[in-house]
Amino acid sequence: IGFRYQEAEILWGLGTTQHALGHADEARSYWLHSIAILHEIGSVTAAEAEKLRRQPVPDIPPMIRRNI
């Protein structure tokens, strides 16, 4: 689980970077992949994952927010 979490955290950071550079589609792709991993490892529920997926610029998941 540790490596999968780290992968999700890195993907989230890449999404944030792409968003800052104005690359919305790339950012979204990274965020969606990160959300999928977080759900897979149980860091977010299905409902939380769906809420994040619906947001154009998703809120930082609490698990990642705690570690940045």
Side-chain angles (χ1 to χ4, degrees), residues 8-9 13 22 29 34 37 43-45 47 52 61 63 66:
E9 190 174 88
S29 177
S34 177
I37 292 169
S43 292
V44 296
T45 65
L52 290 168
M63 175 68 123
R66 281 192 295 262

Side-chain angles (χ1 to χ4, degrees), residues 1-66:
I1 290 177
F3 291 121
R4 293 295 284 164
Y5 169 75
Q6 290 171 339
E7 182 181 357
E9 190 174 88
I10 289 166
L11 288 166
W12 197 272
L14 290 169
T16 301
T17 300
Q18 291 298 316
H19 184 263
L21 293 170
H23 305 151
D25 292 339
E26 291 89 345
R28 187 131 185 85
S29 177
Y30 284 120
W31 286 328
L32 291 176
H33 193 176
S34 177
I35 292 165
I37 292 169
L38 291 171
H39 180 248
E40 176 186 311
I41 65 173
S43 292
V44 296
T45 65
E48 291 167 330
E50 185 58 31
K51 180 180 175 185
L52 290 168
R53 283 187 205 100
R54 288 185 190 155
Q55 297 172 339
V57 177
D59 297 331
I60 300 172
M63 175 68 123
I64 291 177
R65 191 177 323 115
R66 281 192 295 262

